């Protein structure tokens, strides 16, 4: 009788364990991001206060739409780039506007 109870209990425990393992997902992956060439990226700092306001205003003036977020530009190929603003245009497309330290648009 004990064997009849133990077998279903083992099956239930095995299924619960498998469910938990699947819910946890695959092993932890590295959080380091890379550029298209595989070079590690430096994390970009979100803009705040007056800098945020000016960067967003310049980006929206250039492409229209609404600014989603803005950061200090640290991984671009353009050495004059200081800020990047991610914008959702009126048609729903997303663009990144790159600006220099004076908020002049360098690239879209």
């Amino acid at each position: 009788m004990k064997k009849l109870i133990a077998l279903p209990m083992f099956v239930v425990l095995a299924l619960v364990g498998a469910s938990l393992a699947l819910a946890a997902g695959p092993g932890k992956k590295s959080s380091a991001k890379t550029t298209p060439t595989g070079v590690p990226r430096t994390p970009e700092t979100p803009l705040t206060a007056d800098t945020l306001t000016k960067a967003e205003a310049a980006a929206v003036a250039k492409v229209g739409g609404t600014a989603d977020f803005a950061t200090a530009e640290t991984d671009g190929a353009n050495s004059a780039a200081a800020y990047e603003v991610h914008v959702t245009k009126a048609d729903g497309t997303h663009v990144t506007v790159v600006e220099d330290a004076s908020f002049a648009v360098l690239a879209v």
Side-chain angles (χ1 to χ4, degrees):
M1 182 69 163
K2 287 183 181 179
K3 286 184 182 179
L4 291 176
I5 294 174
L7 184 58
M9 199 60 149
F10 174 77
V11 171
V12 168
L13 290 175
L15 290 173
V16 169
S19 297
L20 291 174
L22 287 173
K28 185 173 181 169
K29 296 184 180 195
S30 171
S31 62
K33 300 198 185 278
T34 60
T35 62
T37 59
V39 177
R41 293 177 61 167
T42 304
E44 295 175 339
T45 305
L47 301 182
T48 59
D50 195 41
T51 305
L52 173 62
T53 302
K54 289 178 181 179
E56 287 180 337
V60 170
K62 181 70 174 181
V63 299
T66 56
D68 299 321
F69 62 96
T71 62
E73 173 61 52
T74 58
D75 63 351
N78 187 335
S79 62
Y83 312 115
E84 74 176 36
V85 182
H86 297 262
V87 177
T88 301
K89 295 171 60 173
D91 65 2
T93 58
H94 299 276
V95 295
T96 301
V97 179
V98 179
E99 303 170 3
D100 67 11
S102 299
F103 308 101
V105 174
L106 302 173
V108 178

